[in-house]
């Protein structure tokens, strides 16, 4: 008996790239495809965020290697995203340019000297990308992110709505999830309303502000138990109440806050000690910012953006769309929180002025 051979063709899912009614292909450029740039590219390909990914890196061997590797990702996942090399000038015409330039610390180099050196690289890259496309939006990931976003905004000559940085969003998501674990509330997820939101605002790094008073659970404000200026005496448990009959409310009280803070720092240290670099989280976050821009849905993201009052860029929430920042979102803070934010903003501005003078 002859056996008929069957050919099974596996069809990849080919997720549709985001299109906004226009036939123009969406192009995202990545400047610097080291660990972070490659992580951004990988996340963009997996989600088919763009039709074309333009890769730029001064290290041509690395650039070609990354293009081949990323093209494999695209084939394996059935992504619509094609990956190719681009010059700085070509990259400057893309819909979005993600800046993930990095450089090693030289031995004996101070942080400030390193920042100056990176800054001069960024200045030359921005210069060679100009003139930008009519709709180009710049997303800065390179650290120190608020300093570089502030400089890129000024150097690019683009409107403030078209320049942003990755800011404090990753820390904010991490902290919200740690608090969710502690309080046994479902973790945050883009599509899941029943989760904790805890914004971290201001200048990314040691002085960033955890806006505890604005914590929300499932889009409802959480109790601000223990916070000055809104202090309400916590109801003392009635003698008859048992843990099973009255579940504890989600209250980011001082103990929760301290423990959450500690746990986040511990996680970050553990990642840095264990891996040296932590590119995957920031890579997927930068891809999410790009997706929010191209999907044009007005999604609220926590990004580093130009703050006219302080003449510098730091993190606060904004709705993103195809033209960049379509709306800034104001958060009402407690007076003490506001004061902290003002102080760190002033510090950043002073640092930026010093850098300007030193150039
Ligand atoms: N915002 C965040 O939360 C966050 C987190 C991690 C890393 N970072 C930052 O991301 C950046 C990249 O980090 P990394 O670990 O990928 O560094 P990396 O050294 O692995 O890669 C940087 C790449 O930039 C390239 N490059 C340098 N000058 C260039 C130029 N003029 N044009 C094009 N490419 C150029 C280098 O050749 C290198 O491949 C750093 O600035 C780092 O501080 C930010």
């Amino acid at each position: 008996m002859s056996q008929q051979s069957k050919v099974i063709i596996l069809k990849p899912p080919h997720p549709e790239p985001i299109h906004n009614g226009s036939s123009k292909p969406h192009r995202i450029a990545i400047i610097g495809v080291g660990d972070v740039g490659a992580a951004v590219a990988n996340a963009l390909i997996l989600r088919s965020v763009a039709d074309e990914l333009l890769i730029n890196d001064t290290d041509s061997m690395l650039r070609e290697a990354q293009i081949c590797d990323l093209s494999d990702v695209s084939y394996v996942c059935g992504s619509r995203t094609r990956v190719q090399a681009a010059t700085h000038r070509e990259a400057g015409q893309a819909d979005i340019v993600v800046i993930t330039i990095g450089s090693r610390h030289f031995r004996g180099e101070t942080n400030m000297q390193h920042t100056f050196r990176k800054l001069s690289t960024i200045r030359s890259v921005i210069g060679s990308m100009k003139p930008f496309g009519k709709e180009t939006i710049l997303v800065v990931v390179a650290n120190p992110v608020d300093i570089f976003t502030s400089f890129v905004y000024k150097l690019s000559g683009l409107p403030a709505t078209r320049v942003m940085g990755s800011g404090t969003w990753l820390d904010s998501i991490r902290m919200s999830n740690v608090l969710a674990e502690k309080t046994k509330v479902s973790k945050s997820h883009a599509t899941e309303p029943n989760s904790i939101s805890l914004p971290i605002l201001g200048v990314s790094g040691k002085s960033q502000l955890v806006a505890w008073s604005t914590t929300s659970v499932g889009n409802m404000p959480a109790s601000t138990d223990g916070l000055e200026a809104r202090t309400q005496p916590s109801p003392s448990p009635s003698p008859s109440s048992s843990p099973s009959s009255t579940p504890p409310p989600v209250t980011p009280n001082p103990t929760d806050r301290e423990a959450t803070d500690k746990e986040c720092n511990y996680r970050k240290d553990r990642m840095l000690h264990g891996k040296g670099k932590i590119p995957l989280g920031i890579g997927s976050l930068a891809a999410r910012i790009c997706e929010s821009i191209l999907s044009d849905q007005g999604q609220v993201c926590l990004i580093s953006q130009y703050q006219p009052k302080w003449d510098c860029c730091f993190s606060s929430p904004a709705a993103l769309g195809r033209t960049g920042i379509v709306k800034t979102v104001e958060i009402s803070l407690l007076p003490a929180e506001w004061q902290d934010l003002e102080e760190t903003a002033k510090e950043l501005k002073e640092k930026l002025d010093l850098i300007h003078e030193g150039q």
Side-chain angles (χ1 to χ4, degrees):
M1 202 197 288
S2 74
Q3 197 139 31
Q4 260 190 329
S5 61
K6 274 188 184 170
V7 179
I8 299 170
I9 300 171
L10 291 175
K11 279 196 178 167
H14 277 297
E16 288 295 326
I18 301 160
H19 272 295
N20 191 22
S22 111
S23 55
K24 205 173 127 253
H26 282 143
R27 291 184 304 156
I28 299 179
I30 299 184
I31 312 289
V33 270
D35 293 319
V36 173
V40 178
N42 190 54
L44 287 169
I45 292 169
L46 292 181
R47 297 176 70 87
S48 281
V49 176
D51 302 87
E52 287 171 29
L53 208 49
L54 308 180
I55 301 294
N56 178 281
D57 199 295
T58 39
D59 180 340
S60 55
M61 287 228 319
L62 176 70
R63 184 191 61 218
E64 293 314 309
Q66 295 286 36
I67 290 173
C68 290
D69 197 12
L70 290 164
S71 297
D72 280 353
V73 175
S74 179
Y75 298 139
V76 170
C77 300
S79 170
R80 293 275 176 114
T81 308
R82 282 170 289 135
V83 190
Q84 63 195 71
T87 61
H88 285 139
R89 181 57 58 84
E90 287 162 346
Q93 306 311 303
D95 297 280
I96 302 175
V97 180
V98 184
I99 301 175
T100 43
I101 286 169
S103 65
R104 292 217 178 97
H105 256 280
F106 290 146
R107 197 173 288 182
E109 192 178 39
T110 63
N111 279 347
M112 203 50 157
Q113 286 166 335
H114 188 225
T115 301
F116 268 112
R117 196 158 52 77
K118 259 171 130 176
L119 206 53
S120 93
T121 307
I122 286 185
R123 180 191 294 281
S124 101
V125 168
I126 296 289
S128 51
M129 280 197 284
K130 278 179 166 181
F132 289 103
K134 281 201 191 83
E135 297 179 330
T136 305
I137 293 167
L138 307 180
V139 177
V140 180
V141 177
N143 265 335
V145 70
D146 299 303
I147 289 187
F148 288 151
T149 309
S150 304
F151 270 94
V152 165
Y153 164 56
K154 297 265 160 127
L155 293 168
S156 67
L158 293 178
T161 49
R162 284 165 56 191
V163 180
M164 61 194 82
S166 56
T168 53
W169 202 14
L170 182 58
D171 289 329
S172 181
I173 291 172
R174 189 182 300 127
M175 192 168 254
S176 302
N177 281 336
V178 168
L179 187 61
E181 278 169 21
K182 290 205 173 305
T183 50
K184 309 236 177 332
V185 170
S186 76
K187 292 192 188 179
S188 17
H189 191 273
T191 56
E192 194 180 291
N194 186 24
S195 55
I196 288 186
S197 160
L198 170 55
I200 296 184
L201 310 172
V203 183
S204 176
K206 284 193 184 111
S207 52
Q208 62 196 19
L209 171 81
V210 185
W212 287 105
S213 69
T214 65
T215 311
S216 67
V217 181
N219 292 335
M220 301 299 283
S223 160
T224 52
D225 177 24
L227 288 164
E228 58 287 3
R230 286 190 202 162
T231 311
Q232 294 274 336
S234 322
S236 39
S238 74
S240 61
S241 66
S242 69
S244 58
S245 64
T246 53
V250 179
T251 55
N253 59 39
T255 319
D256 284 339
R257 283 185 269 156
E258 205 180 307
T260 306
D261 226 9
K262 258 193 187 158
E263 174 66 22
C264 285
N265 288 335
Y266 171 69
R267 285 188 190 191
K268 204 167 181 176
D269 284 352
R270 207 170 43 179
M271 285 190 281
L272 283 169
H273 280 122
K275 297 179 62 169
K277 283 183 175 183
I278 38 178
L280 300 182
I282 189 65
S284 49
L285 186 95
R288 194 167 151 191
I289 293 174
C290 295
E291 195 170 32
S292 299
I293 292 169
L294 293 178
S295 65
D296 204 20
Q297 303 284 308
Q299 279 170 13
V300 175
C301 303
L302 197 48
I303 46 151
S304 180
Q305 57 182 310
Y306 184 65
Q307 314 280 347
K309 185 174 176 212
W310 293 280
D311 189 27
C312 58
C313 297
F314 58 77
S315 286
S316 63
L320 300 185
R322 188 56 200 86
T323 53
I325 298 168
V326 291
K327 240 181 200 129
T328 55
V329 179
E330 283 190 15
I331 290 192
S332 112
L333 295 173
L334 293 172
E337 291 173 330
W338 182 251
Q339 203 181 329
D340 284 351
L341 188 75
E342 286 221 301
E343 269 170 30
T344 61
K346 276 187 205 150
E347 256 173 50
L348 174 65
K349 177 66 180 134
E350 280 167 19
K351 213 180 256 179
L352 289 168
D353 289 343
L354 267 178
I355 294 174
H356 266 301
E357 280 166 24
Q359 282 187 74

